[in-house]
Amino acid sequence: MIIRKAEFIISAASPSQYPNTGWPEIALAGRSNVGKSSLVNALVNRKSLARTGNTPGKTRIVNFFNINDRLMLVDLPGYGYAKVSKEEKKAWGTLTETYLNTRGSLTMILLLVDIRHEPSADDAVMMDYIRQSGRDTAIIAAKADKISRGEYNKHAGIIRTALDPYGSVPVIPFSSVRHTGVEEVWSVIEKTIKKRV
Ligand code: GTP
Ligand code: MG
């Protein structure tokens, strides 16, 4: 994918603020701190288009990024971050659910998990949700630079067993630090978009 344009559009706190371009949207879901915002930056080869950070809970609302006036990357708040109040957790959950449940142009949901760890119960719930939504998906095994290449298959296998026992969903090792997997992620996105038109 050649990136001619990548621009932040809006942080939307409610559906009335969602952009109405009608372009297909690719949403990024996953535990807080797993690397969703870093993936946006890696995909468009920019250092800080999306805000990232060491403190989990960096992304708090639904962020839309225009890619080539053709599709939208949608960075969602992460789940499973223990150190926020119940009220705040609920508010983020509601924002994410509202987006995922109501957005007609949502075409694909990329589920990010940490390549080093077994997926959590929350990840399994998210995967079930994605499956039931009927949207296309791929599992991104993030922070792949934290293990050696020789270990990719073993770890991808553990993730697949937990989330996709029938093996129908691509599992893509990805590193925002080394840009591993960038082409593979664009390729699953392109495939989904082409299917849609
Ligand atoms: P929330 O917005 O809180 O949901 O987090 P997020 O999923 O958007 O994570 P973010 O991209 O902000 O990254 C969290 C931390 O992980 C940051 O310190 C990043 O630098 C680091 N990180 C992200 N991707 C990678 C990666 O591929 N490799 C390594 N080593 N660190 C990464
Ligand atoms: Mg984020």
Side-chain angles (χ1 to χ4, degrees), residues 6-71:
E7 66 178 2
F8 167 72
I9 300 287
I10 193 170
S11 287
S14 74
S16 62
Q17 296 177 310
Y18 295 167
N20 58 2
T21 58
W23 300 333
E25 289 176 0
I26 315 296
L28 309 171
R31 199 171 50 79
S32 190
N33 215 39
V34 71
K36 298 176 295 298
S37 301
S38 301
L39 177 137
V40 170
N41 292 331
L43 285 185
V44 300
N45 203 17
R46 292 260 295 269
K47 280 222 154 55
S48 48
L49 185 65
R51 281 179 63 191
T52 64
N54 274 318
T55 27
K58 206 68 188 165
T59 308
R60 302 203 169 194
I61 36 186
V62 181
N63 294 291
F64 293 82
F65 298 91
N66 164 9
I67 310 299
N68 290 350
D69 293 330
R70 182 168 161 248
L71 66 97

Side-chain angles (χ1 to χ4, degrees), residues 24 26 70 106-109 134-138 168-170 186-197:
I26 315 296
R70 182 168 161 248
L106 175 59
T107 304
M108 183 178 216
I109 305 170
R135 261 110 184 186
D136 274 357
T137 186
S168 55
V169 177
W186 275 126
S187 139
V188 293
I189 292 174
E190 292 270 22
K191 218 164 123 188
T192 285
I193 290 176
K194 281 194 187 122
K195 219 167 56 182
R196 190 170 174 260
V197 288

Side-chain angles (χ1 to χ4, degrees), residues 79-152:
Y79 48 76
Y81 177 45
K83 287 183 196 156
V84 293
S85 69
K86 254 193 183 153
E87 290 71 35
E88 218 171 342
K89 260 189 207 164
K90 216 172 142 195
W92 300 358
T94 307
L95 279 176
T96 306
E97 276 164 30
T98 303
Y99 171 78
L100 291 173
N101 289 332
T102 62
R103 192 62 167 161
S105 41
L106 175 59
T107 304
M108 183 178 216
I109 305 170
L110 300 177
L111 177 60
L112 278 80
V113 295
D114 190 314
I115 198 166
R116 295 168 293 180
H117 310 304
E118 269 222 41
S120 67
D122 285 341
D123 294 327
V125 168
M126 192 67 212
M127 192 70 224
D128 279 345
Y129 170 85
I130 295 170
R131 224 177 250 118
Q132 279 167 27
S133 78
R135 261 110 184 186
D136 274 357
T137 186
I139 297 166
I140 312 294
K143 305 198 181 181
D145 55 285
K146 298 277 195 182
I147 64 171
S148 70
R149 256 170 213 278
E151 293 178 302
Y152 282 8

